Amino acid sequence: MIASRLREVRARIALAAERAGRDPAVVRIVAVTKGHPLAAAQEAAAVGLADLGENRVQEALAKMEVWPDAPVRWHLVGHLQRNKVKHAVGRFVLIHSLDSVRLADALNEAAAARALVQDVLVEVNVAGEAQKTGCPPGEVPALVAHAADLPHLAVRGLMTMAPLTDDVAVQRGAFAGLRALREELVGRGYRLPELSMGMTNDFETAVEEGATMVRLGTVLFGERIP
């Protein structure tokens, strides 16, 4: 089942990339296994999905514990509380949800304790939605500058979630806003290759606007079982 869905998703990504004059090969799928059993994650890996995303540290660690030799790269795509930092650092190839100076300092301290450098993305609340986490766009340059000075953090790019709507213009505005912010920061000398944006309901628009990673759950795995 996942194999056929993945073929369709890849075809849709290819068409979206073609519309934007982009190479679809630069768009990586992060298969979000939140709320799905370990068997679903293992099936995803078996069909070639090497990047798996989890929203909650505890759920991810539980899967890692019973699948220690997983041939995948784990991503943390959900909000990270500071009291979970020590459990997350070093366990995820990329943490997509750095949203404050305090969290950056906590991540750096935990990474230093483990003598490693943790790759992160700065999460940006482009649309300014009160119910969502993420750094306000106006504060992102200062956060990136702060994190860039921390020896045990490496900022690899930016992440956002568009408003939950079928209005493509609204989706596009959020994604274009993140891309413009990345371009501004690159102009200041930062190397930020990744744009993590786009989910099941809007990933094609995200690809058109420059996404390098799309975070897909339902379109690959179906609805979560309550």
Side-chain angles (χ1 to χ4, degrees), residues 12 41 46 63 68-69 92 102 106 113 143 147 157 173 178 187-188 198 214:
R12 291 168 64 184
K63 288 174 179 171
D69 57 346
F92 298 95
R102 292 179 70 191
L143 176 55
L178 193 74
R188 298 186 186 194
V214 291

Side-chain angles (χ1 to χ4, degrees), residues 120-123 155-159 182 191-195:
V120 297
L121 302 179
V122 170
E123 180 182 359
V155 180
R156 300 302 184 192
L158 307 177
M159 181 272 251
R182 193 267 297 268
R191 185 178 180 276
L192 303 169
E194 303 291 358
L195 285 179

Side-chain angles (χ1 to χ4, degrees), residues 119-133:
D119 286 354
V120 297
L121 302 179
V122 170
E123 180 182 359
V124 186
N125 189 346
V126 176
E129 295 180 282
Q131 73 275 22
K132 286 184 178 174
T133 57

Side-chain angles (χ1 to χ4, degrees), residues 83-165:
N83 63 356
K84 299 292 193 301
V85 162
K86 65 181 179 181
H87 304 294
V89 162
R91 305 304 300 274
F92 298 95
V93 68
L94 188 61
I95 293 173
H96 292 230
S97 46
L98 173 61
D99 61 1
S100 71
V101 166
R102 292 179 70 191
L103 182 58
D105 290 342
L107 284 164
N108 182 69
E109 182 179 352
R114 298 192 61 180
L116 56 83
V117 175
Q118 176 65 59
D119 286 354
V120 297
L121 302 179
V122 170
E123 180 182 359
V124 186
N125 189 346
V126 176
E129 295 180 282
Q131 73 275 22
K132 286 184 178 174
T133 57
C135 183
E139 298 176 15
V140 170
L143 176 55
V144 169
H146 180 82
D149 283 337
L150 298 174
H152 293 275
L153 279 193
V155 180
R156 300 302 184 192
L158 307 177
M159 181 272 251
T160 199
M161 290 182 284
L164 185 59
T165 176

Side-chain angles (χ1 to χ4, degrees), residues 20 41 95 111 113 163 166 171 181 207:
I95 293 173
D166 292 329
Q171 298 170 0
L181 182 56
V207 170

Side-chain angles (χ1 to χ4, degrees), residues 5-56:
R5 289 172 173 167
L6 177 59
R7 284 193 296 271
E8 179 182 348
V9 165
R10 283 179 169 155
R12 291 168 64 184
I13 288 173
L15 286 173
E18 182 180 346
R19 289 192 293 271
R22 302 183 65 211
D23 180 358
V26 305
V27 182
R28 194 185 334 171
I29 296 170
V30 178
V32 180
T33 50
K34 168 195 171 185
H36 294 285
L38 179 64
Q42 291 173 326
E43 184 180 352
V47 300
L49 286 165
D51 293 274
L52 301 186
E54 285 285 339
N55 284 56
R56 299 185 180 94

